[in-house]
């Protein structure tokens, strides 16, 4: 059952809900100070809720959460107080991303019996109302497909955002759409690979397309062979589950620009014959995180309706070491005719992406953005929370990084050094899929992909290897497991193109 999301203006102290979320700021005194939206609840407690929070050790630090029984002080039985950090300067408001992360932390802390939640955080503008709603929905995410028993925690039935801001209704509705897209991507990443082989992911994409009015085309293994998609065929030939290429399309009658998104969809990556060690394999169900982000973003774009044409490609395969698997030193022919010497079968993502990138040119896009869990080197360079952005144009890279920041996703610009290209020279083919140079693996992978972008076509590459799957504990609105990384960024890129269509 989906969560009901609404905007209300009533005082949170009188709401008939199971829990009320309020915010507190850190203060020079021992007791945290109530943020905007919390004052009615603060005043309803004898001596003030802040005094009770201080006794519990609360200081108002960002994402610090304390649950307090109200004992009849307000209508709701429980208050969830969440820290917002230092109070903003006079005349300024709480940063929207701080607000979103606080809302997410608060919703993660709610009890299983708290099915109806009011979020009374500082939502004095439409942007902050949207942030509170988005953070609440993302933080309340729960993947329950394989859970059994009564202890399973399901998402809330009802989330009400307290805000009287102009435009709050539309902003909160948008938050619901974006959260739905991100949580779709999370669900796909969290699905066990036995239940999400390439054919399954393609079928889900077809259903998402039908539900959202998107045009859809699926190329099966026969069509891929006939069309010369050597990357997808080569990577998939070691698996009993053949590859797929999915094309989704959204069009708008007033659009003057087209963006093409390309997502890596390796539903499980064993490494192929260049087998991964066991400790690096157990989370490789997440290697389709790029395709999941593209699918989620395309669903949101269709619902939001920006005046842009958007095309999404999901390059889907399973990389397994079966008897038919491609071998190190095999040469494959990418869609369009270029040949690649496969020196390492665990550098497979760039092969399926090359096929899809070349195909994406046929849509005559103004911009191509690919997103992939491409390299372990991304984690070495940027860690688990910040994805990398590379591009063949400085302004494109800057625009994508800015779009990510505006969407609330940390991203960092990275270069594509020309000198790394020589490391990809092959003795027998047009290019090799790996370099003999140990260092700069993330950048080298970007340089490889750039080889399949035509001169004059604007392109950006997002390496989301670390941020796509949270192997640590949950934080803010980010759960353990699939995160839906880059989904919001892709939506913002499409909206920015629509706004700049003149």
């Amino acid at each position: 059952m989906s969560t009901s999301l609404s905007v209300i203006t009533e005082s949170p102290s009188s709401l008939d809900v199971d829990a009320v979320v309020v915010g507190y700021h850190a203060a020079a005194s021992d007791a945290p100070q109530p943020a905007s939206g919390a004052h009615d609840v603060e005043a309803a407690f004898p001596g003030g809720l802040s005094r009770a929070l201080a006794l519990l050790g609360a200081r108002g630090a960002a994402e610090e959460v304390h649950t307090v029984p109200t004992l009849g002080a307000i209508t709701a039985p429980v208050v969830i107080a969440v820290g917002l950090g230092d109070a903003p300067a006079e005349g300024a408001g709480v940063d929207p991303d701080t607000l979103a992360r606080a809302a997410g932390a608060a919703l993660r802390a709610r009890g299983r019996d708290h099915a109806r939640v009011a979020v009374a955080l500082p939502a004095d503008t439409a942007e902050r109302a949207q942030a509170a709603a988005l953070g609440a929905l993302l933080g309340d995410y729960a993947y329950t497909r394989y859970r059994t028993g009564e202890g399973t925690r399901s998402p809330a039935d009802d989330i009400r955002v307290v805000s009287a801001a102009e435009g709050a209704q539309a902003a909160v509705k948008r938050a619901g759409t974006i959260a739905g897209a991100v949580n779709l991507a999370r669900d796909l990443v969290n699905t066990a690979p036995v239940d999400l082989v390439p054919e399954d992911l393609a079928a889900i994409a077809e259903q998402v397309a039908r539900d959202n009015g998107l045009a859809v085309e699926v190329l099966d293994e026969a069509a891929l062979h006939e069309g010369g998609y050597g990357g997808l065929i080569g990577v998939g030939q070691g698996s009993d589950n053949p590859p797929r290429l999915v094309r989704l399309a959204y069009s708008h009658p007033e659009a003057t620009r087209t963006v093409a998104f390309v997502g890596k969809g390796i539903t499980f990556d064993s490494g192929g014959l260049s087998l991964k060690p066991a400790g690096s394999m157990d989370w490789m169900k997440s290697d389709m995180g790029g395709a999941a982000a593209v699918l989620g973003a395309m669903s949101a774009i269709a619902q939001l309706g920006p005046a842009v044409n958007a095309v999404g490609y999901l390059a889907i395969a399973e990389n397994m070491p079966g008897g038919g698997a491609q071998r190190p030193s095999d040469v494959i022919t990418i869609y369009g005719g270029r040949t690649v010497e496969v020196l390492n079968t665990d550098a497979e993502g760039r092969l399926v992406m090359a096929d899809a990138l070349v195909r994406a040119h046929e849509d005559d896009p103004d911009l191509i953005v690919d997103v992939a869990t491409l390299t372990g080197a991304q984690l070495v360079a940027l860690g688990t929370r910040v994805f990398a952005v590379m591009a063949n144009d400085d302004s494109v890279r800057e625009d994508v990084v800015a779009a990510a920041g505006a969407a609330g996703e940390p991203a960092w610009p990275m270069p594509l050094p020309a000198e790394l290209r020589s490391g990809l020279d092959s003795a027998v083919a047009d290019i090799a899929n790996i370099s003999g140079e140990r260092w700069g693996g993330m950048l080298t992978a970007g340089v490889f992909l750039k080889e399949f972008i035509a001169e004059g076509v604007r392109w950006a590459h997002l390496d989301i290897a670390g941020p796509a799957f949270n192997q640590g504990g949950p934080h803010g609105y980010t759960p353990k497991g699939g995160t839906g990384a880059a989904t919001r960024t892709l939506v913002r890129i499409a909206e920015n193109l629509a706004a700049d269509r003149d």
Side-chain angles (χ1 to χ4, degrees), residues 87-158:
E90 186 175 350
V94 178
D95 173 73
D97 196 53
T98 297
L99 198 60
R101 294 181 188 280
L107 267 289
R108 284 195 293 104
R110 71 172 180 85
R112 290 195 303 272
D113 296 333
H114 303 150
R116 301 171 302 152
V117 181
V119 179
L121 293 173
D124 53 339
T125 66
E127 181 183 19
R128 294 191 184 99
Q130 177 177 300
L134 180 63
L137 289 168
L138 294 181
D140 198 45
Y141 172 81
Y143 185 70
T144 60
R145 175 171 178 174
Y146 303 110
R147 297 286 186 183
T148 61
E150 296 181 358
T152 300
R153 180 185 179 277
S154 298
D157 295 336
D158 182 17

Side-chain angles (χ1 to χ4, degrees), residues 371-386:
V371 55
T373 50
L374 204 61
T375 65
Q378 182 277 325
L379 285 95
V380 175
L382 295 175
T384 60
R385 299 191 185 186
V386 180

